[in-house]
Amino acid sequence: MYAHSSESLIKQAREIQESELLKFLSRLGKLLQGKELGHEAVDSLQRLHLILSATKYTRKLPPELHKRVKALLSSPTEQFQVLSSAVLRETVPPCGQEVNYNQDNVLQLNSHAAALLLSQAASRADLSSLCAQLLRGLESRPSEGSANSLTHTLPMLNAVLTLSPECLTEDHVTLLSKKLVDWLRYASINQGGGVPSGGFFTGPRSRQPVPTAELDGTVSGDFFTVLCVGQGFTEDQWMNVYSFSMLRHWLLTYHSVSIGNNTADTANRLQLSLSLSLSHSFSHGKTFRGPSLHCLVEAVCILDCVCGEDASLVYRTFPCIKALFGRLSSDLSFARVLLPIAQFYLNHGDMAAVDCECVWTLVFGRFPAELFNDQYLAHELLRFLRLNRESLQLRVPRYSHSFPNLLKFLAWDSPAVVDDFVDLLPSLVTAGTAVELLHTLLDLPCLSATLVLQVRSTCLPISESGGRGLLSLDAFRSQSFRGLFLFLLRGEAGSGDTIDRLSTLHELLAETADWPRVVHCAQTVPVLLHIFFNTVVAVADEKLLAHLVQVMLERSSLLLNIPKYNKEIQRVFSTHLLRLCKLHPSLVVDQSHELLEFAGATAKVYSKEEIYTHVVWVLGEYLSVSCDSRCSVRLITSCFETLEAVLFEITSSGPPPGADCPAPRVVTSLMSALAKLASRSHDLIPRVSLFLSKLRTVTRGGPVAWCSDEEDLVAIVTRGEELWSLLKAPGVAQSVLTPPPMVTTPQWHRDTNVAMPLRLRALTNLTHSQ
C-alpha cells in the first residue's frame, strides 16, 4: 500500500486538468531550452513522469518537447538519461518521430537509450531490424563509432533473446557465435590504458603495457578470462566479460537450432575455447572470494551446458570440476558454487563413471544439517531439487531417505519454502519411507522448536545470572533428554519410525508452542499431510495403508499442544481415513482391533470429536460381509457392544468436568452405526430398538444433562425415531442403511436394457421443443 502522501500525489496527477497540463508542458519545454539544467528541470521531469504513469492511457507530448526530452538521452548526466528514458517509455512518439533502427542510433546507444529502444519495438519485425543493426555494429571498426558503442550491444541482444529468440536468423546466429568465440578466445592480455613505470620524468611516452594478473597476483598466461584483474580493461576485454555473462543464455536458447555445418563448427570452437580457458583459470591453486564466486558459479553452469551439447568434452572437463570440488567441499561458505558442481555430477557423472557419493553426502547431509538457517542456500538447494527430482529419484537412492534433513529448511522458515515442498514432497513418498515420513511431518513443529533451541544453545551462555531461563533449553542441553532431540535432528531416515517418549518430548517443548517459527511451521503441516496421503495411495499396498491407519489413530492423541493444530490434524486424518476405507474397505476388518479400541474410549467423544465421529462411521459402514468375507457375526457383535456401551454412557449422565456436551453428530453417528450393525445381525435389533424407544421417552421429560441445546435434542430424537421405524422391518432396514453399490452409484441412464434411457430422451426432446 502507498503511504498517505504518495496516494495524495498520485490522485493529484490523475486529476490534473488538460489546461493545467498544457501550461506545465509549455513551461517544461522552455526550461529544457536552457544550456544548463538544474534541480528545477529534474523536479519537472519527475512530475511529468508521475503524471504520465498515473493515467490509464498513453499520452502524446508536443513534438518539440518530445524532441528535447529525447535529446536528454545523450546527456552527460546519467540522472537526465534515466528520467528522459522513463518519460519517453510512457508516451506515444509523435508522427514522424518514431524509433528508427538506423546505424547512427545503434552506435550512439547508452544503457538507458537501449532500454527505451527495446520498449518501443512494436513488432517482431522491429526487433529483427534492431538485431540486424546491432550485428552490423559488431562488424564495424572502432573508429566508425564511439569508443563505447559495443559495450551496450551484447546486453541489448541478450534482452532481445529473452523477449523473442526467433528474431535472429540463422546468419545472425552464425555471426554472433563466431564473435563470441573471438572475444572469449583472443582477447588481449594487457591491461587497458598505460600504467606508469615510475620515476620523476614519467610521461605518456614512458608508459608500457602491463599484463593482466590472476587473482593471486601472478601474471596471466595465454588467456584473458573473467577471473583476470587489472587497473583497466580494453574494449575487447570488456566484450570478453560480456560474452561470458551471456554465454549460458545463448547456448540454452540456440542449442537445438539446426544451422548447417559452418555454424556447428563455430559451436564446437566455442565449446573448445571455453573449456580450455576456464580449465586454465581453475588450474591455479587460488582461494576464491567475493565477486570471483559470481564468476565460478557461472563458469560451472556454462561447462555443464557445453558438455550437454558435446558429450566428448565431458572427459576433458570432469578432472577440472572434480579438482574444484575437492578444493571447495571442505568449506561450506562455497555452497553457492558447490550446488552447480552437484548439477554437473548429476548430469554427467554416469557417463564419466565417477563416484558421486561424496557430492550427495555434502548436498543431502552437511548442507541442510549445518546451513538450514541460510535463506539463500535454502532457495538454491530446493530449486536444485525441484528441477532434478525425477533424476534424483532414479539415480540417487539416498535422496528419498534424506527427508529428515531436508525438512529442516521447512521447519526453520516455513512461509518462505512451503511452495517448494508442495512440489517436492510427492518425490519423497515411497513404500519404504511413508510411515517414518508421516511421523516426521507430524513432528515438524517439534523439529522447528528444536532448531531454535540449537541456535540459541550456541549463542546463549549455559547459565544466565538474574535472567529467566528456558526450561526447553535446559532440557536440550541435558544428557537425560539428549537422545530425544538427536532423533529429531537425525540426517537420514531408517533409524526408527518415531520417538518412544513422545509425550515426554511434548512436555519439554510445551513453552515453545507460541513461538512464531513453531506456529508458522504448524500451519503448513495440514497442507503437506493432504499431499502425503494423496500420494501414498498410489505407492502403498494394503498392508502399508493398514499401518498408516494405525499411525493416524495413535498420533491423533500425540501432538504438540499448539492452538488449533490438533483440530486441523484431526480434520485431515478424518478426511483421509474415509478415503482410505472407501478405496480399501477391508482395512476396517484388518484394523478392527485398533478401531474398536479407539471407538471404545469414551473420553475421545469429548476431546477428539472430528476423528471419533469418522471412526464410528467407517465401523458402521464397512464392517459388513459385503465388504469383506472375513467379517463374522462375532466381530459385528463385538463392535456393536463397544459402541453401545459408549452411547449408553454419554447419554446417561452429563459430560465430565471441564468438557462440553457431546456433539449431536457424535450421538447420531453412534445410533446410525448401531442400527447398521443390527440390520446385519438381526439378533441385535431388539437391543438397539429398546435404546431408541427409551431415548424418546427420556427426552419427553424435559432437558437432559448430555444435550444443552433444544434444537439439537430434537434432531437427535428425530433421527432415533427414523432408525427405530426402519428396524421394525429388518429387510428394508438393511437395504436402506447398507444399500448395494448398484443403488449408491446408479447407472440406469446408461443401461440400454431398461426403459430409463428412452424416457430421458423423450423428456429431453419435450423440453428442447419448448
Side-chain angles (χ1 to χ4, degrees), residues 131-194:
C131 289
Q133 293 297 333
L134 290 172
L135 291 170
R136 290 194 193 101
L138 292 179
E139 294 182 298
S140 63
R141 296 180 180 179
S143 59
E144 297 177 5
S146 61
N148 296 325
S149 61
L150 295 183
T151 58
H152 304 290
T153 302
L154 289 184
M156 282 193 70
L157 284 171
N158 200 38
V160 172
L161 299 184
T162 303
L163 294 171
S164 181
E166 62 275 8
C167 289
L168 266 67
T169 65
E170 294 182 5
D171 292 339
H172 292 161
V173 174
T174 301
L175 172 62
L176 190 51
S177 295
K178 291 180 179 179
K179 287 293 184 181
L180 291 174
V181 170
D182 292 339
W183 287 320
L184 287 168
R185 180 64 180 86
Y186 301 111
S188 58
I189 61 173
N190 290 328
Q191 298 185 27

Side-chain angles (χ1 to χ4, degrees), residues 535 606 668 733:
T535 306
Y606 304 99
T668 56

Side-chain angles (χ1 to χ4, degrees), residues 277-336:
S277 62
L278 291 180
S279 298
H280 171 79
S281 298
F282 290 161
S283 63
H284 296 281
K286 309 179 185 69
T287 300
F288 297 106
R289 295 291 179 186
S292 61
L293 288 178
H294 300 351
C295 299
L296 282 178
V297 169
E298 188 68 14
V300 175
C301 292
I302 291 173
L303 285 175
D304 182 31
C305 181
V306 166
C307 290
E309 289 300 302
D310 187 351
S312 65
L313 290 175
V314 172
Y315 306 101
R316 303 170 59 183
T317 308
F318 227 114
C320 164
I321 297 295
K322 187 176 180 180
L324 184 63
F325 176 78
R327 285 162 46 198
L328 304 183
S329 58
S330 60
D331 189 348
L332 292 185
S333 64
F334 293 106
R336 185 181 176 187

Side-chain angles (χ1 to χ4, degrees), residues 373-633:
N373 55 351
D374 187 327
Q375 292 183 343
Y376 180 83
L377 176 68
H379 170 75
E380 289 296 310
L381 177 56
L382 295 177
R383 179 175 178 271
F384 166 78
L385 298 180
R386 282 191 294 108
L387 293 176
N388 299 283
R389 57 182 179 270
E390 294 182 0
S391 297
L392 292 170
Q393 282 179 281
L394 294 174
R395 298 164 54 189
V396 185
R398 68 181 300 167
Y399 165 67
S400 60
H401 287 78
S402 65
F403 63 83
N405 241 2
L406 296 177
L407 286 172
K408 291 174 184 177
F409 291 116
L410 181 68
W412 180 258
D413 193 5
S414 298
V417 301
V418 64
D419 290 340
D420 297 289
F421 278 94
V422 167
D423 292 337
L424 283 176
L425 189 61
S427 65
L428 298 172
V429 180
T430 66
T433 64
V435 175
E436 186 175 350
L437 179 56
L438 176 57
H439 281 292
T440 306
L441 291 175
L442 296 173
D443 291 331
L444 266 183
C446 298
L447 176 59
S448 179
T450 302
L451 292 176
V452 174
L453 293 173
Q454 179 179 346
V455 173
R456 290 189 179 185
S457 180
T458 60
C459 300
L460 299 177
I462 295 180
S463 60
E464 297 181 76
S465 57
R468 184 178 68 87
L470 291 173
L471 297 178
S472 55
L473 185 59
D474 294 337
F476 180 80
R477 289 168 170 166
S478 172
Q479 291 298 323
S480 303
F481 306 112
R482 190 62 177 162
L484 300 177
F485 294 104
L486 286 178
F487 181 81
L488 289 174
L489 296 172
R490 68 195 186 281
E492 286 188 348
S495 56
D497 292 342
T498 185
I499 303 173
D500 294 334
R501 296 185 292 165
L502 262 179
S503 56
T504 302
L505 177 66
H506 294 158
E507 291 175 5
L508 297 174
L509 297 177
E511 65 182 344
T512 70
D514 59 349
W515 291 1
R517 289 191 189 277
V518 178
V519 173
H520 290 156
C521 181
Q523 292 171 348
T524 65
V525 174
V527 177
L528 298 176
L529 286 178
H530 280 300
I531 297 172
F532 169 83
F533 283 111
N534 290 337
T535 306
V536 80
V537 293
V539 301
D541 55 15
E542 287 198 33
K543 183 179 179 180
L544 177 55
L545 293 178
H547 195 170
L548 294 177
V549 170
Q550 184 178 351
V551 171
M552 285 192 279
L553 296 177
E554 293 174 352
R555 291 305 305 269
S556 63
S557 303
L558 289 172
L559 297 169
L560 188 62
N561 189 19
I562 302 174
K564 298 182 180 180
Y565 179 61
N566 288 8
K567 289 186 177 180
E568 288 296 323
I569 299 302
Q570 291 177 34
R571 186 173 291 112
V572 175
F573 281 175
S574 302
T575 300
H576 292 283
L577 177 65
L578 294 183
R579 184 185 178 195
L580 293 179
C581 291
K582 184 177 181 180
L583 289 173
H584 303 280
S586 59
L587 287 174
V588 179
V589 176
D590 291 334
Q591 295 297 306
S592 58
H593 177 75
E594 288 76 12
L595 290 169
L596 287 178
E597 185 179 2
F598 186 90
T602 307
K604 290 183 170 57
V605 171
Y606 304 99
S607 61
K608 294 175 175 55
E609 168 203 333
E610 184 82 23
I611 190 170
Y612 184 86
T613 304
H614 288 78
V615 167
V616 170
W617 189 88
V618 298
L619 285 170
E621 186 72 11
Y622 298 113
L623 207 57
S624 169
V625 179
S626 62
C627 295
D628 195 316
S629 59
R630 297 173 297 167
C631 183
S632 62
V633 174

